[in-house]
Amino acid sequence: MRVLDAECTKKFMQMAEDGWEQGWHERNGGNLSYRMTMDDVASVAENFDLTAKWRPIGTSVPGLAREHFFITGTGRYFQNVVRDPEHSFGIIEVDETGENYRIVWGLLDGGRPTSELPTHLMNHEVKKAQTNGAHRVIYHCHPANVIALTFVLPLTDEAFTRELWEMMTECPVIFPDGIGVVPWMVPGGRAIAVESAKKMQSYNAVIWAMHGIFCSGATFDETFGLVHTIDKSAGILLKVLAAGGKRQTITTQDFRDLAKDFHLTLPEKFLDVKEEKSETAKTAKTAKAAKVTK
């Protein structure tokens, strides 16, 4: 089968297109990867270039030895994934040591995997082990609402999780484990990969301050839906802040009732919050004080 005819390829391309249409991928921003199943690989392996040169990953991921991944290219544009797929993304294979990769399909004319390759693979390794192989998709994008909040809220897991939970009842159902937050770091290097991997031990979504969001999921739909939900919730919070802050909200007891009815386990650190000391309330109060001072 041709790579472009495979069902996994079509889903990969569709998710990239959906992210582009949301406005989350300006210029060559963002990246997407998918850990292929054995059946996926078998269906398209006849197209692979097994003479391709091995290159260092920049980190060690022995838990991904001999795995294959779809991955978008560095400097390549999400808007072209559907229009020009063989230049925009490719398939890579990780060697038996977990320290090198080779491009076996796509990324034509000297293309290379995203500069965030170490971050993707380190987090694939974490989520593969944590979910017993269920998680296969890693997605990084630049949703404006999420990025804007990193200038407003304290850069803590507790602040972002509780505030976004309160914006839509569905949020604690969709991301019951919460959201991790990594302070601003230089993108593309090992340091941000390590910090993200630490957060991914506890969460499926990690916000990179002043940069974007990094998510993991079992399927393309699940992963895209997680980002979509978080960004919508962030947009609601920005509107609430612009309108002067909360007058009422979902309370801690409300969350406990929700958890009971939906059979959820919500981490206590996100529930043990005094409503009157919420970050939105403090932000609104500070803004009001500043206006009075002027």
Side-chain angles (χ1 to χ4, degrees), residues 124-141:
H124 270 294
E125 184 179 45
V126 167
K127 301 310 284 191
K128 177 185 176 182
Q130 186 189 57
T131 67
N132 196 27
H135 276 211
R136 292 186 173 275
V137 181
I138 295 284
Y139 182 41
H140 167 54
C141 58

Side-chain angles (χ1 to χ4, degrees), residues 85-265:
E86 292 184 67
H87 282 84
S88 302
F89 67 93
I91 298 174
I92 65 169
E93 178 187 6
V94 176
D95 73 0
E96 68 278 359
T97 69
E99 295 184 354
N100 302 285
Y101 77 92
R102 62 181 176 181
I103 301 169
V104 296
W105 179 90
L107 291 172
L108 299 181
D109 297 329
R112 294 286 179 268
T114 170
S115 61
E116 303 281 3
L117 178 63
T119 309
H120 274 255
L121 294 185
M122 286 181 69
N123 283 278
H124 270 294
E125 184 179 45
V126 167
K127 301 310 284 191
K128 177 185 176 182
Q130 186 189 57
T131 67
N132 196 27
H135 276 211
R136 292 186 173 275
V137 181
I138 295 284
Y139 182 41
H140 167 54
C141 58
H142 303 160
N145 294 322
V146 172
I147 296 172
L149 278 187
T150 65
F151 291 90
V152 178
L153 295 184
L155 298 177
T156 66
D157 305 352
E158 291 79 5
F160 270 81
T161 297
R162 181 55 183 257
E163 292 298 325
L164 293 180
W165 273 3
E166 289 185 21
M167 294 302 103
M168 290 198 300
T169 300
E170 292 83 356
C171 285
V173 178
I174 293 171
F175 49 98
D177 295 330
I179 299 173
V181 180
V182 171
W184 186 89
M185 300 180 72
V186 175
R190 178 174 168 78
I192 194 169
V194 170
E195 290 307 309
S196 299
K198 289 178 183 176
K199 294 290 185 180
M200 279 287 185
Q201 295 282 356
S202 302
Y203 311 111
N204 292 329
V206 177
I207 291 173
W208 290 349
M210 297 84 193
H211 185 162
I213 192 166
F214 195 78
C215 287
S216 172
T219 67
F220 292 107
D221 286 345
E222 178 184 300
T223 311
F224 185 86
L226 177 58
V227 179
H228 203 188
T229 302
I230 292 171
D231 190 52
K232 183 175 182 179
S233 184
I236 295 170
L237 180 52
L238 290 171
K239 291 180 180 179
V240 170
L241 290 170
K246 292 180 286 190
R247 298 293 180 267
Q248 53 277 326
T249 189
I250 303 171
T251 68
T252 295
Q253 186 56 50
D254 293 335
F255 283 124
R256 295 190 190 282
D257 293 342
L258 180 73
K260 181 179 178 180
D261 285 2
F262 278 79
H263 307 290
L264 301 172
T265 300

